[in-house]
């Protein structure tokens, strides 16, 4: 797994400013060779540095404005099966194994409170799920972001 260096950070920040910029436009803006920009972009896409474009889609634009975080306690015997079943629920956007009183933190989206209840029931019906706790997001105070870290990397002396 490679890290993002100064040049990569500069390219990513330029793409934040203009996501549809061509390779030539980025190269001109950053004072880099076209091949450098093109190779860096391809490498970041293929090595997993860049997430899939679908991750950028806002769930509310898909008719799912309700965001909730569900903690799940799971039995350890059916772990892989449990994770497969949880991942099969379309409203599950993200799952993290966590420390503390629960085993998993699941980010889910829903159409409304009734739909959230349905999603939560679907999670509870997954093999190995013992208990859940749902926390509703009232307001997104800080959106998911990487720009401050990219700026820090882009401005570093390496």
């Amino acid at each position: 797994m490679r890290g993002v260096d100064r040049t990569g950070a500069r390219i990513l920040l330029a793409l934040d400013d203009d996501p549809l910029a061509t390779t030539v436009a980025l190269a001109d803006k950053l004072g880099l060779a076209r091949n450098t920009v093109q190779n860096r972009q391809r490498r970041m896409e293929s090595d997993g540095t860049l997430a899939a474009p679908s991750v950028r889609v806002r769930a509310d634009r898909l008719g799912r404005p309700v965001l909730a975080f569900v903690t799940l306690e799971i039995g350890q015997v059916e772990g892989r099966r449990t994770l497969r079943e949880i991942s099969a629920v379309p409203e599950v956007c993200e799952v993290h194994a966590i420390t503390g009183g629960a085993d998993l933190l699941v980010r889910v989206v829903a159409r409304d409170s009734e739909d959230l209840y349905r999603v939560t029931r679907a999670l509870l019906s997954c093999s190995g799920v013992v208990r859940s706790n749902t926390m509703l997001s009232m307001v997104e105070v800080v959106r998911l972001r990487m720009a401050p870290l990219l700026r820090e990397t882009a401005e570093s002396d390496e």
Side-chain angles (χ1 to χ4, degrees):
M1 182 171 86
R2 288 188 179 145
V4 175
D5 64 5
R6 185 171 187 254
T7 301
R10 291 178 61 221
I11 292 168
L12 293 171
L13 286 167
L15 283 168
D16 260 2
D17 291 340
D18 185 0
L20 299 178
T22 65
T23 302
V24 172
L26 289 172
D28 287 345
K29 178 179 181 172
L30 299 172
L32 298 169
R34 181 191 56 80
N35 283 340
T36 298
V37 173
Q38 188 172 41
N39 290 337
R40 291 298 185 101
Q41 282 184 282
R42 281 191 182 145
R43 184 174 53 198
M44 287 187 283
E45 288 170 0
S46 66
D47 73 7
T49 298
L50 293 175
S54 62
V55 174
R56 295 181 58 193
V57 177
R58 308 269 318 153
D60 61 335
R61 300 303 199 272
L62 297 172
R64 291 178 176 74
V66 176
L67 170 63
F69 297 92
V70 181
T71 58
L72 299 176
E73 292 179 41
I74 62 171
Q76 303 304 312
V77 177
E78 299 183 71
R80 287 196 174 141
R81 180 177 174 192
T82 302
L83 290 175
R84 272 196 313 275
E85 291 179 18
I86 290 168
S87 298
V89 176
E91 294 83 3
V92 169
C93 300
E94 197 173 14
V95 180
H96 294 269
I98 59 172
T99 61
D103 300 302
L104 301 173
L105 176 65
V106 184
R107 180 185 182 132
V108 300
V109 294
R111 295 179 192 283
D112 52 34
S113 59
E114 188 174 319
D115 192 41
L116 179 58
Y117 180 75
R118 179 193 58 79
V119 172
T120 303
R121 299 298 303 163
L123 292 172
L124 282 168
S125 71
C126 293
S127 303
V129 174
V130 177
R131 185 174 298 118
S132 74
N133 185 30
T134 302
M135 296 156 282
L136 188 62
S137 173
M138 302 302 288
V139 176
E140 185 177 49
V141 179
V142 177
R143 285 189 175 170
L144 178 63
R145 63 193 184 146
M146 291 294 138
L149 293 173
L150 286 170
R151 274 194 286 289
E152 183 179 275
T153 300
E155 295 166 1
S156 72
D157 292 334
E158 286 190 89

